[in-house]
Amino acid sequence: MTDTAGFLSPVKGKVAVFHGELYRARPAVGLWPCVELLPEPGRPAPEGLTPREAADGSVGYPVPLERLEAWYAVTWTFRWHGEPFECTAATPTTLSGNYLGSDEHFAKAHLKRRVIGYRGVFPRDEVTELEQHRKDLLQPRRALVQRLAEVDHFRPRTYAVHRGRTYPAAAEADASGLIALTTGGDRPEDLVADPRDPSGERFLAAPEQLDAWYRMHWTFRWKGGPFDAVGTVDGRIKGIYTGGSWGFADSWQLTDETDLYGYTRYTVQAGLKGVTDLEQHHTDLLANQ
């Protein structure tokens, strides 16, 4: 069995496999969905990766998900005198652990009290059923990446349909009442090129030339409060609070941000598991023309 005191299987933490080598690993903040490898002191740097210094001064090596063979969370459990423990530390001669059982008499007789529960330090030769547990992190992360890509990260978007083709479009008409469409390689003959666009990929359409013009956006609830989705950050959905309760914003410590017009808005970055009532909305913009 692999020694829990060694590097290759930490007592507790996240581990990634890259080119057949095991590394401690963490999410790469600001480079989501990449993972950052953390070589132990004295180990060679992962081949072909560029180091990056984090805010705390630690150095990691970001790597895309598709280049990893595995990424998982490790925990160890064992038994002492037949009772179950989760391993919290290891030395060559001892294992420390938090008590997982429910025998209060046993705990009071043999263990030290924690704030919640009990813990102990035990000679290795008294420990039995030492077992490693792995929770896969790679497949859930890949599934989340795919889900977010499929819904364009819940960003609000505006589209226009011209002669059966759908294009990204401006959310408002310009001063002359024309709507800008980003057509890419298409060059619609009956539309006028936008003189303000140096790329030549944007054309102007009058409302009557369009089959449809609409805005798509998402709303959700978090902790019971209503939010407009504006995108994702590191795999977490970002929303602007649309309720009227300052107490709610204060109680849940929402982030206050200032928009382009100088108004304060309260935002949250929430994991999708904590979000409810996630709903897509379709607003017909042609109906108001």
Side-chain angles (χ1 to χ4, degrees), residues 76-113:
W76 289 81
T77 57
F78 62 85
R79 286 185 179 269
W80 181 74
H81 289 193
E83 292 292 327
F85 292 82
E86 180 183 57
C87 190
T88 57
T91 72
T93 59
T94 64
L95 293 179
S96 302
N98 292 332
Y99 183 47
L100 300 177
S102 57
D103 188 333
E104 193 75 16
H105 177 74
F106 170 87
K108 288 181 177 179
H110 300 286
L111 306 174
K112 292 182 179 181
R113 182 75 182 178

Side-chain angles (χ1 to χ4, degrees), residues 3 25 36 49 56 73 82 107 109 127 135 144 219 287:
D3 187 347
E36 239 171 17
L49 300 182
D56 62 3
V127 166
K135 178 183 179 182
L144 178 58
T219 59

Side-chain angles (χ1 to χ4, degrees):
M1 175 175 291
T2 304
D3 187 347
T4 58
F7 162 74
L8 294 183
S9 293
V11 170
K12 189 174 184 178
K14 295 180 176 67
V15 174
V17 182
F18 177 70
H19 290 178
E21 297 287 336
L22 292 174
Y23 298 90
R24 292 181 184 268
R26 66 188 176 195
V29 176
L31 291 177
W32 193 92
C34 290
V35 172
E36 239 171 17
L37 307 183
L38 305 170
E40 291 288 295
R43 284 193 73 194
E47 187 176 350
L49 300 182
T50 303
R52 187 180 74 144
E53 184 174 349
D56 62 3
S58 61
V59 176
Y61 293 79
V63 57
L65 297 184
E66 59 270 18
R67 298 186 64 186
L68 292 177
E69 290 119 75
W71 183 37
Y72 52 88
V74 173
T75 56
W76 289 81
T77 57
F78 62 85
R79 286 185 179 269
W80 181 74
H81 289 193
E83 292 292 327
F85 292 82
E86 180 183 57
C87 190
T88 57
T91 72
T93 59
T94 64
L95 293 179
S96 302
N98 292 332
Y99 183 47
L100 300 177
S102 57
D103 188 333
E104 193 75 16
H105 177 74
F106 170 87
K108 288 181 177 179
H110 300 286
L111 306 174
K112 292 182 179 181
R113 182 75 182 178
R114 301 168 55 225
V115 176
I116 300 176
Y118 295 87
R119 63 182 176 85
V121 181
F122 315 103
R124 282 194 177 226
D125 58 7
E126 295 181 8
V127 166
T128 61
E129 300 181 41
L130 180 61
E131 184 179 357
Q132 186 192 74
H133 306 270
R134 297 182 179 183
K135 178 183 179 182
D136 180 35
L137 301 174
L138 193 55
Q139 282 306 116
R141 175 62 65 88
R142 285 173 172 166
L144 178 58
V145 170
Q146 181 176 353
R147 179 183 179 189
L148 296 184
E150 288 172 351
V151 295
D152 195 21
H153 292 259
F154 302 106
R155 287 184 286 255
R157 286 284 187 253
T158 302
Y159 298 96
V161 182
H162 174 259
R163 294 196 173 188
R165 301 201 65 172
T166 302
Y167 303 101
E172 296 180 353
D174 65 15
S176 60
L178 299 178
I179 301 155
L181 279 60
T182 303
T183 62
D186 289 349
R187 296 292 184 270
E189 293 182 0
D190 57 338
L191 299 185
V192 177
D194 188 344
R196 298 161 296 184
D197 175 38
S199 72
E201 296 185 349
R202 201 163 65 199
F203 286 76
L204 300 176
E208 58 269 20
Q209 292 178 288
L210 299 177
D211 305 320
W213 180 35
Y214 56 92
R215 180 177 184 267
M216 305 290 294
H217 77 283
W218 295 79
T219 59
F220 65 89
R221 285 187 173 270
W222 179 77
K223 304 297 183 183
F227 291 83
D228 278 341
V230 293
T232 60
V233 178
D234 285 347
R236 299 167 66 85
I237 188 168
K238 181 175 181 178
I240 299 173
Y241 178 56
T242 56
S245 170
W246 180 88
F248 177 90
D250 183 61
S251 296
W252 294 110
Q253 297 184 335
L254 301 185
T255 302
D256 56 312
E257 300 181 10
T258 302
D259 64 17
L260 296 175
Y261 304 100
Y263 294 104
T264 297
R265 58 184 189 175
Y266 294 99
T267 66
V268 70
Q269 295 174 19
L272 285 179
K273 290 183 179 179
V275 163
T276 62
D277 303 307
L278 185 58
E279 185 178 356
Q280 188 182 65
H281 302 268
H282 183 291
T283 303
D284 183 1
L285 299 179
L286 276 183
N288 298 322
Q289 295 297 305

